[in-house]
Amino acid sequence: MALAREDINFENIKRDAKIEAVLNCVINQDIEIAHLKDEQFEMRNEIKRRDETISKLEDDIRLLKKEKRWNMLWRNSLEEDIAKTQVFLAIVFLINIQFTFFMSR
Protein backbone atom coordinates (compact mmCIF):
# COMPACT_ATOMS: atom_id res chain seq x y z
CA MET A 1 0.00 0.00 0.00
CA ALA A 2 2.83 2.34 0.71
CA LEU A 3 4.16 1.72 -2.81
CA ALA A 4 0.79 2.50 -4.31
CA ARG A 5 0.70 5.82 -2.47
CA GLU A 6 4.07 6.84 -3.92
CA ASP A 7 2.99 6.03 -7.52
CA ILE A 8 5.43 3.16 -8.06
CA ASN A 9 4.38 1.23 -11.11
CA PHE A 10 5.40 -2.44 -11.08
CA GLU A 11 4.96 -2.64 -14.84
CA ASN A 12 7.62 0.04 -15.32
CA ILE A 13 9.95 -1.82 -12.95
CA LYS A 14 9.39 -5.09 -14.83
CA ARG A 15 9.97 -3.35 -18.18
CA ASP A 16 13.15 -1.71 -16.89
CA ALA A 17 14.36 -5.07 -15.56
CA LYS A 18 13.68 -6.71 -18.92
CA ILE A 19 15.49 -3.92 -20.77
CA GLU A 20 18.46 -4.29 -18.42
CA ALA A 21 18.51 -8.07 -18.94
CA VAL A 22 18.36 -7.63 -22.72
CA LEU A 23 21.09 -4.99 -22.56
CA ASN A 24 23.32 -7.32 -20.51
CA CYS A 25 22.68 -10.09 -23.03
CA VAL A 26 23.60 -7.79 -25.94
CA ILE A 27 26.78 -6.66 -24.16
CA ASN A 28 27.76 -10.29 -23.50
CA GLN A 29 27.11 -11.14 -27.14
CA ASP A 30 29.26 -8.19 -28.27
CA ILE A 31 32.09 -9.41 -26.04
CA GLU A 32 31.74 -12.94 -27.42
CA ILE A 33 31.70 -11.62 -31.01
CA ALA A 34 34.87 -9.63 -30.34
CA HIS A 35 36.49 -12.75 -28.88
CA LEU A 36 35.46 -14.81 -31.90
CA LYS A 37 36.83 -12.16 -34.25
CA ASP A 38 40.16 -12.32 -32.42
CA GLU A 39 40.19 -16.10 -32.76
CA GLN A 40 39.30 -15.81 -36.44
CA PHE A 41 42.20 -13.38 -36.95
CA GLU A 42 44.58 -15.78 -35.20
CA MET A 43 43.31 -18.67 -37.34
CA ARG A 44 43.85 -16.65 -40.52
CA ASN A 45 47.41 -15.89 -39.43
CA GLU A 46 47.99 -19.58 -38.67
CA ILE A 47 46.63 -20.53 -42.11
CA LYS A 48 48.93 -17.96 -43.75
CA ARG A 49 51.92 -19.37 -41.86
CA ARG A 50 51.00 -22.91 -42.90
CA ASP A 51 50.58 -21.82 -46.52
CA GLU A 52 54.00 -20.16 -46.42
CA THR A 53 55.52 -23.31 -44.93
CA ILE A 54 53.88 -25.47 -47.60
CA SER A 55 55.13 -23.11 -50.31
CA LYS A 56 58.69 -23.26 -48.94
CA LEU A 57 58.54 -27.05 -48.77
CA GLU A 58 57.29 -27.24 -52.35
CA ASP A 59 60.17 -25.00 -53.44
CA ASP A 60 62.61 -27.23 -51.57
CA ILE A 61 61.14 -30.30 -53.25
CA ARG A 62 61.53 -28.67 -56.69
CA LEU A 63 65.15 -27.81 -55.93
CA LEU A 64 65.85 -31.33 -54.69
CA LYS A 65 64.34 -32.79 -57.86
CA LYS A 66 66.55 -30.52 -59.98
CA GLU A 67 69.59 -31.48 -57.89
CA LYS A 68 68.68 -35.15 -58.20
CA ARG A 69 68.48 -34.82 -61.98
CA TRP A 70 71.85 -33.07 -62.05
CA ASN A 71 73.36 -35.75 -59.82
CA MET A 72 71.94 -38.45 -62.06
CA LEU A 73 73.43 -36.78 -65.15
CA TRP A 74 76.77 -36.38 -63.38
CA ARG A 75 76.68 -40.00 -62.26
CA ASN A 76 75.87 -41.18 -65.78
CA SER A 77 78.75 -39.10 -67.09
CA LEU A 78 81.07 -40.63 -64.50
CA GLU A 79 79.92 -44.14 -65.40
CA GLU A 80 80.61 -43.43 -69.08
CA ASP A 81 84.06 -42.07 -68.21
CA ILE A 82 84.79 -45.12 -66.06
CA ALA A 83 83.68 -47.44 -68.86
CA LYS A 84 85.92 -45.62 -71.38
CA THR A 85 88.83 -45.75 -68.93
CA GLN A 86 88.34 -49.48 -68.41
CA VAL A 87 88.35 -50.08 -72.17
CA PHE A 88 91.47 -47.95 -72.54
CA LEU A 89 93.25 -49.82 -69.74
CA ALA A 90 92.23 -53.17 -71.22
CA ILE A 91 93.73 -52.16 -74.57
CA VAL A 92 96.93 -50.92 -72.88
CA PHE A 93 97.10 -54.17 -70.91
CA LEU A 94 96.76 -56.24 -74.10
CA ILE A 95 99.42 -54.15 -75.83
CA ASN A 96 101.67 -54.59 -72.81
CA ILE A 97 101.17 -58.37 -72.85
CA GLN A 98 101.97 -58.51 -76.59
CA PHE A 99 104.98 -56.29 -76.12
CA THR A 100 106.23 -58.44 -73.26
CA PHE A 101 105.61 -61.63 -75.32
CA PHE A 102 107.53 -60.33 -78.32
CA MET A 103 110.33 -58.96 -76.17
CA SER A 104 110.80 -62.30 -74.44
CA ARG A 105 111.30 -64.11 -77.81
Side-chain angles (χ1 to χ4, degrees), residues 19-43:
I19 289 172
E20 187 176 335
V22 169
L23 185 61
N24 284 337
C25 183
V26 169
I27 290 171
N28 288 337
Q29 286 178 347
D30 285 347
I31 292 171
E32 186 65 27
I33 288 171
H35 178 70
L36 291 173
K37 284 183 179 180
D38 289 343
E39 285 185 8
Q40 183 182 23
F41 182 75
E42 290 174 13
M43 290 174 128

Side-chain angles (χ1 to χ4, degrees), residues 21-94:
V22 169
L23 185 61
N24 284 337
C25 183
V26 169
I27 290 171
N28 288 337
Q29 286 178 347
D30 285 347
I31 292 171
E32 186 65 27
I33 288 171
H35 178 70
L36 291 173
K37 284 183 179 180
D38 289 343
E39 285 185 8
Q40 183 182 23
F41 182 75
E42 290 174 13
M43 290 174 128
R44 284 183 182 162
N45 286 340
E46 182 67 26
I47 290 170
K48 286 179 185 177
R49 283 193 295 269
R50 287 183 182 173
D51 288 346
E52 289 172 0
T53 302
I54 289 170
S55 176
K56 288 177 184 177
L57 289 173
E58 287 173 345
D59 290 343
D60 289 346
I61 289 170
R62 272 189 239 106
L63 288 174
L64 288 172
K65 285 181 179 178
K66 286 181 182 178
E67 185 177 329
K68 181 181 176 184
R69 282 188 216 123
W70 186 84
N71 285 340
M72 288 174 62
L73 291 173
W74 186 71
R75 182 178 176 201
N76 289 342
S77 175
L78 277 179
E79 288 174 356
E80 289 175 8
D81 291 344
I82 289 171
K84 289 177 184 176
T85 304
Q86 287 174 341
V87 169
F88 176 74
L89 289 176
I91 292 171
V92 169
F93 179 71
L94 290 175

